[in-house]
Amino acid sequence: MSGFGDPKAKLLIIGLAPAAHGGNRTGRMFTGDSSGDWVAKVLYDNGFATKSTSLKKNDGFELINAYITAAVKCAPPQNKPTKEEINTCSDYLYEELFLLKNVKVIICLGKIAFDALKSILGVKQQKFFHGNNFSYGGKTILCSYHPSRQNTQTGRLRWDQWNKIFLEAKSMLSDKSVFSF
């Protein structure tokens, strides 16, 4: 499944894969499931989306200065992609990164998304943990736990932690001095 959003976006969000009962069913990433509910609301609350819900592909939900994609392009069994699936899909993620020329901030949702991005960029020293951020190649990478039910219902990812990631991204994109080359 390909990503979606503003092709001139400055914010890129990389998830794990289309969820079997969400993106895979609806044809759009983070649409029609509980993870999508969290993504749509936080994007809307921070000015990156036109509405706070994303229920089906043609529901009027559009991204503003943001683009969403995934490390893996198909729904893996039990949401656990194999290394081979991740490697196979890395060429597609690489192409998206290449085509999205204006991206300044990348949010990785979960360790698999983070590891896929690290591999493509050749980043060696960074580790995944919620709230980690670092600069690489003129971009800022932010790490967040994935908004899966497993993380949100257990309290591993609380709304305030989640929103803080997007507030930080929004702040970085509005601070022009951060990205002067």
Side-chain angles (χ1 to χ4, degrees):
M1 174 177 297
S2 63
F4 77 98
D6 180 352
K8 295 182 179 177
K10 291 183 180 173
L11 174 63
L12 174 62
I13 301 155
I14 304 174
L16 164 62
H21 301 291
N24 200 48
R25 178 181 54 81
T26 64
R28 185 174 70 192
M29 294 283 305
F30 292 108
T31 300
D33 63 9
S34 63
S35 294
D37 294 343
W38 274 58
V39 170
K41 181 165 176 24
V42 81
L43 290 174
Y44 178 77
D45 287 354
N46 287 286
F48 294 110
T50 56
K51 51 188 287 195
S52 63
T53 59
S54 176
L55 303 174
K56 57 186 178 178
K57 193 171 186 173
N58 297 312
D59 60 4
F61 178 82
E62 293 181 25
L63 298 178
I64 302 165
N65 200 22
Y67 192 91
I68 295 176
T69 192
V72 176
K73 303 302 182 185
C74 60
Q78 287 83 45
N79 262 352
K80 294 179 183 171
T82 64
K83 189 172 184 106
E84 182 181 18
E85 287 173 306
I86 295 168
N87 290 338
T88 298
C89 293
S90 68
D91 288 343
Y92 298 106
L93 182 57
Y94 175 84
E95 286 298 319
E96 285 176 304
L97 290 169
F98 177 77
L99 293 170
L100 296 166
K101 304 274 188 210
N102 298 324
V103 169
K104 300 294 181 194
V105 176
I106 301 171
I107 299 175
C108 295
L109 304 181
K111 187 172 183 331
I112 290 173
F114 178 72
D115 287 346
L117 180 65
K118 270 181 44 176
S119 177
I120 288 169
L121 297 179
V123 173
K124 302 285 185 208
Q125 300 302 318
Q126 295 295 326
K127 301 229 182 280
F128 177 84
F129 59 90
H130 184 83
N132 184 22
N133 76 70
F134 60 95
S135 294
Y136 185 85
K139 297 172 182 18
T140 300
I141 291 96
L142 295 167
C143 299
S144 175
Y145 293 135
H146 190 283
S148 66
R149 280 191 175 174
Q150 179 181 354
N151 288 335
T152 60
Q153 290 182 346
T154 61
R156 182 175 195 190
L157 179 62
R158 297 181 323 269
W159 182 261
D160 61 315
Q161 296 171 301
W162 175 242
N163 191 49
K164 184 177 179 184
I165 296 293
F166 289 86
L167 285 169
E168 196 171 338
K170 182 178 171 181
S171 175
M172 289 174 180
L173 291 173
S174 65
D175 182 2
K176 310 240 186 297
S177 65
V178 172
F179 301 110
S180 56
F181 298 98

